[in-house]
Amino acid sequence: MSALIETSYFATAVLFILGLKRMSHPTTAREGVIWAGYGMILATVVTFLHPDIRGQYALMLLALLLGGGVAWWSAKRIAMTDMPQMIAIYNGMGGGAAGGIAAVELMRVANDPLLAQVHGPLALWLGVAGALIGSVAFTGSVIAWAKLDGRLNTAVRYANQQRITLAVLLVTLLLGAWVASATPGAFVLLLFFILALVLGVLVALPIGGADMPVIISLFNALTGLAVAMEGFVLHNAAMIIAGTVVGAAGSLLTLLMAKAMNRSLASILFKQFGTVQGEASEIEGSIKDVGPMDAAIQLAYADRVIIVPGYGLAVAQAQHKVWEMVELLQERGVEVRFAIHPVAGRMPGHMNVLLAEAGVPYDLIEDLDEINSDFDTTDVVLVIGANDVVNPVAKHDPQSPLYGMPVLNVDEARSVLVVKRGQGAGFSGVENHLFYLDNTRMVYGDGQKVIGEMVAAIKTL
């Protein structure tokens, strides 16, 4: 039986890795999710045969019914615009589960110190580390969910914030070392978990603006690492492999996204993005707006068009109308491509998912590095719901908190059309100088309604 269980766990790991590989490309991502799902089903079923869980079948089935039922119900109801929130909270559940496993094992050790010898010192240290990381990922993800869902609208900052966070971290580490080395008892263990949960809140509270996708990816990586560490404690190969795969993939994604923003991970965590560092440069020019008909004429008679989608596109659910408009432009001989910034939207790959849902072929979608040198030869750029990722102050103004972040060179196009609900600033709170340039025209209104009017206008030309 043991050989069957271990072989099944190995097959699970292979399915996870193959699924992750196929998730790396939009055209195969759906298959990758299904493969990984098969791996999870296999691991869950074979766990019922594990000798350590005999007699716990009722609790396991109850947990599966409750967890699976809530996940099925919420996933069916979730809107595409709310996907980042769902991912954040589900990721938090993973971290919380890892922390819960650690709490149970460490409590058993606290009640029976002889178990410490059974586990061994390495397993105890890994268990404590997993407990700390999982707890931080849990409460940090909950804060991220609250921000993405609009329940916490701003980055929370206060005096001596970093010193307080550092002090809580140091005390938590000391308590963790005490728990791992001396099994001091339930009270110290409880205090350790409370401080670890508070630490996750303190880490996530000041994060805001364009850094949110990076911090979600970081918490995802932490969840994977916590699960892997608890797998060592439980001698569970499936948890070790799955956690390691998630932790490694999440860590790489976090570093790649931080690199795409030209910021170090430490800078994202501790330098409080969005804090104005000096007197920002004055805005030159004025905002000029046009109607959907004038915008449609510019698009219809252009040779080259680039569309830059942002979170506003997701909110307006305008992706299907946009693709309908693109097909009309292509019939007129217009070359149309999409430009995706690495942190566009509220999570990695957010815009790719939306465009794929509308049926946009992937060969029309290009990343920042692939397309950024083509804007100066583009007739019209249509920006829909994007803001910070097209703000030229990131290139020119050292006083701006956006300075240094790679942005799409939209301002270099011959003409720029920006579809936007109003004149508000982006998620970072920084005023967008693109809107005031001579070659920019604003098209105000709901994204789906405006694009729909453009589609109707193009059909009449």
Side-chain angles (χ1 to χ4, degrees), residues 302-325:
D303 291 324
R304 297 184 183 87
V305 170
I306 294 178
I307 298 175
V308 179
Y311 184 64
L313 174 78
V315 173
Q317 287 290 287
Q319 62 270 26
H320 295 282
K321 280 294 179 186
V322 168
W323 176 232
E324 182 182 354
M325 182 183 69

Side-chain angles (χ1 to χ4, degrees), residues 104-335:
V104 170
E105 285 303 306
L106 292 173
M107 185 60 74
R108 289 178 62 203
V109 171
N111 292 330
D112 184 3
L114 290 178
L115 283 176
Q117 299 177 12
V118 175
H119 282 298
L122 177 60
L124 285 178
W125 280 98
L126 287 174
V128 170
L132 172 59
I133 295 172
S135 300
V136 169
F138 172 58
T139 48
S141 296
V142 171
I143 296 297
W145 165 80
K147 289 186 177 185
L148 292 170
D149 204 47
R151 298 167 193 264
L152 187 59
N153 291 323
T154 183
V156 178
R157 291 159 190 166
Y158 45 85
N160 298 316
Q161 188 169 29
Q162 293 182 13
R163 292 179 180 175
I164 293 172
T165 302
L166 182 60
V168 172
L169 172 63
L170 290 176
V171 174
T172 308
L173 289 175
L174 289 174
L175 287 175
W178 191 4
V179 170
S181 59
T183 59
F187 176 76
V188 176
L189 185 59
L190 178 63
L191 188 58
F192 164 73
F193 272 101
I194 290 174
L195 288 179
L197 293 170
V198 171
L199 183 61
V201 174
L202 295 179
V203 168
L205 277 180
I207 306 296
D211 287 335
M212 191 53 69
V214 183
I215 204 68
I216 291 174
S217 179
L218 175 64
F219 286 138
N220 178 51
L222 292 180
T223 294
L225 292 174
V227 170
M229 290 177 180
E230 299 314 322
F232 275 105
V233 176
L234 298 178
H235 304 289
N236 187 302
M239 290 179 65
I240 295 172
I241 297 172
T244 303
V245 169
V246 173
S251 299
L252 284 173
L253 181 60
T254 302
L255 293 175
L256 287 172
M257 293 181 69
K259 181 181 178 182
M261 297 178 66
N262 197 28
R263 289 159 59 78
S264 67
L265 187 56
S267 172
I268 291 172
L269 290 174
F270 302 115
K271 290 193 67 173
Q272 299 185 349
F273 186 93
T275 301
V276 177
Q277 300 170 6
E279 186 176 349
S281 59
E282 292 186 2
I283 297 176
E284 298 179 356
S286 60
I287 290 181
K288 300 165 278 291
D289 63 288
V290 296
M293 183 67 191
D294 293 331
I297 291 174
Q298 287 194 47
L299 292 166
Y301 291 102
D303 291 324
R304 297 184 183 87
V305 170
I306 294 178
I307 298 175
V308 179
Y311 184 64
L313 174 78
V315 173
Q317 287 290 287
Q319 62 270 26
H320 295 282
K321 280 294 179 186
V322 168
W323 176 232
E324 182 182 354
M325 182 183 69
V326 170
E327 289 183 305
L328 288 174
L329 293 175
Q330 289 177 327
E331 290 174 3
R332 298 177 63 90
V334 181
E335 177 190 303

Side-chain angles (χ1 to χ4, degrees), residues 23-68:
M23 287 181 212
S24 63
H25 196 280
T27 58
T28 58
R30 180 181 173 81
E31 293 177 17
V33 172
I34 293 173
W35 285 30
Y38 287 148
M40 185 60 73
I41 292 173
L42 176 60
T44 303
V45 171
V46 81
T47 300
F48 278 86
L49 304 178
H50 202 289
D52 290 346
I53 57 92
R54 284 175 184 164
Q56 306 296 326
Y57 302 123
L59 286 175
M60 288 182 65
L61 287 172
L62 179 61
L64 284 172
L65 287 174
L66 287 175

